[in-house]
């Protein structure tokens, strides 16, 4: 839905650009870049922050790497604590 | 001559109502029927039982994988997490479609499942332990307010009156149980994220599951995509 709205705003800008007053078309394009893009970026950030969105599915090798990274972090903390 | 008349338990009454309406629930999932179906008699009871059974059917395949051993389902309800910013910029309808959430109250915790409008879970899940909730009550407008220990405030709308009455009661009972059992689970944030594949907790600010190795988009990655091309981030989040 959002994509359709965005494409329509581009079509609108292009239709003005090829019309008699192309300056207005550039103004519409500038508004799209100045307002539509940052607002969508911010909205996406706020929605994405709420929970997890999967990117890649389960992977045993990656899980092992994650676990060993956690262990390393734990070891480092332990060493630091012992040194202190 | 006296004759012993067996009085059916509330669970048996619910079971017979479900059978009458030709509804069945997954036998592998332990439900506390007397609380799950809080209204079993009176005006509108049949419709209410059908509505709840339909919602439960939608989440059962996912719920089966999420539940821990000895975890019992006490209540299931669906609401919408309300966000003024999103409603303002996206439009109230799309914001509501995007924020449908099924609440599953169990004897151990609250499971929250992001869902479609019909209650079918999507891929975002959370867990909330009862002791992480400071306040769980409906307000004057009918919205459900949740104030969490880490300072987060969540507002949910769209819960029917029955749910708004039943859920705080179950929450209070569960909290009392926590106190009795001295149960204080450690958390990285009040509402923990769950892995979309293995349903293990993925701690705050982590975007990879150490149990199954699944990887998740970070908010920055998604925001950057939407900044470059609006709706790219939403497509990555599968909001279509």
């Amino acid at each position: 839905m959002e994509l359709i709205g965005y494409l329509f705003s581009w079509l609108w800008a292009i239709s003005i650009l090829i019309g008699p007053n192309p300056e207005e078309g550039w103004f519409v394009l500038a508004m799209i870049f100045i307002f539509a893009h940052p607002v969508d970026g911010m909205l996406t950030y706020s929605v994405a922050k709420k929970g997890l969105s999967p990117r890649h599915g389960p992977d045993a090798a990656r899980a092992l790497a994650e676990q060993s990274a956690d262990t390393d972090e734990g070891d480092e903390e332990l060493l630091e604590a012992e040194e202190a | 001559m006296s004759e012993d008349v067996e009085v059916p338990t509330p669970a048996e009454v619910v079971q017979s109502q479900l059978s009458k309406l030709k509804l069945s629930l997954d036998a592998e999932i332990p439900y506390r029927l007397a609380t799950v179906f809080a209204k079993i008699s009176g005006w509108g009871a049949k419709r209410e039982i059908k509505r709840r059974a339909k919602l439960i059917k939608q989440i059962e395949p996912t719920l089966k994988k999420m539940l821990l051993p000895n975890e019992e389902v006490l209540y299931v309800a669906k609401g919408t997490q309300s966000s003024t910013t999103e409603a303002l910029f996206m439009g109230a309808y799309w914001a509501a479609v995007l924020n449908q959430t099924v609440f599953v109250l169990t004897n151990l915790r609250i499971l929250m499942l992001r869902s479609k409008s019909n209650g079918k879970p999507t891929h975002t899940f959370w867990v909330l332990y009862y002791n992480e909730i400071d306040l769980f009550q409906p307000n004057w407008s009918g919205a459900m307010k949740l104030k969490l220990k880490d300072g987060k405030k969540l507002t949910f709308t769209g819960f029917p009156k029955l749910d708004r009455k039943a859920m705080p009661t179950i929450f209070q009972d569960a909290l009392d149980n926590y106190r009795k059992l001295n149960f204080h689970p450690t958390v990285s944030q009040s509402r923990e994220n769950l892995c979309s594949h293995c349903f293990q907790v993925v701690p705050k600010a982590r975007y990879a599951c150490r149990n199954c190795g699944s990887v998740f988009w970070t908010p920055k990655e998604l925001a950057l995509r939407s900044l470059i091309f609006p709706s790219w981030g939403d497509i990555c989040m599968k909001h279509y």
Side-chain angles (χ1 to χ4, degrees), chain A residues 1-3 6 37-38 40-41 43-48 50-56 58-59 62-63 66-67 70, chain B residues 86 89 94 99 123-124 126 206 208 210 212-217 219 221 223 226-231 234 237 239:
Chain A
M1 196 68 191
E2 191 187 335
L3 183 62
Y6 180 66
H37 286 233
D40 197 60
L43 266 180
T44 303
Y45 186 81
S46 100
V47 172
K50 287 186 198 168
L52 297 175
S53 303
R55 186 174 189 173
H56 301 297
D59 182 333
R62 213 183 294 128
E66 280 291 319
Q67 284 162 18
D70 281 354
Chain B
E86 284 168 29
F89 288 103
W94 287 111
N99 288 313
H123 50 258
T124 305
W126 303 270
R206 297 291 289 266
R210 70 191 300 274
C212 72
S214 295
V215 177
F216 304 92
W217 291 101
E221 286 169 340
S226 279
L227 185 69
I228 296 166
F229 185 82
S231 77
D234 294 275
M237 285 191 281
H239 289 166

Side-chain angles (χ1 to χ4, degrees), chain B residues 7-86:
Chain B
V7 180
T9 62
E12 285 169 346
V13 176
V14 175
Q15 194 59 62
S16 77
Q17 287 279 26
L18 288 172
S19 309
K20 263 187 215 166
L21 296 168
K22 291 179 184 148
L23 299 167
S24 63
L25 302 179
D26 194 317
E28 284 178 41
I29 300 175
Y31 292 104
R32 198 178 291 172
L33 290 174
T35 56
V36 173
F37 295 92
K39 186 179 170 72
I40 48 165
S41 61
W43 192 77
K46 273 186 190 172
R47 198 180 54 195
E48 170 55 32
I49 293 171
K50 278 184 190 168
R51 188 184 68 83
R52 203 165 303 272
K54 197 175 161 191
L55 175 63
I56 292 171
K57 274 279 162 211
Q58 292 285 1
I59 62 163
E60 272 185 336
T62 311
L63 190 58
K64 215 191 288 187
K65 294 179 209 156
M66 292 179 92
L67 292 175
L68 300 169
N70 300 323
E71 193 168 16
E72 193 183 12
V73 177
L74 308 183
Y75 206 77
V76 179
K78 186 168 76 71
T80 307
Q81 190 179 346
S82 93
S83 158
T84 317
T85 324
E86 284 168 29

Side-chain angles (χ1 to χ4, degrees), chain B residues 6 15 38-39 41 43 53 62 67 84 97 106 115 134 147 158 168 191 194 207 228:
Chain B
E6 270 189 37
Q15 194 59 62
K39 186 179 170 72
S41 61
W43 192 77
T62 311
L67 292 175
T84 317
V97 166
T106 76
S115 75
D134 269 340
K147 197 173 158 199
R191 185 170 71 157
L194 290 180
Y207 295 93
I228 296 166

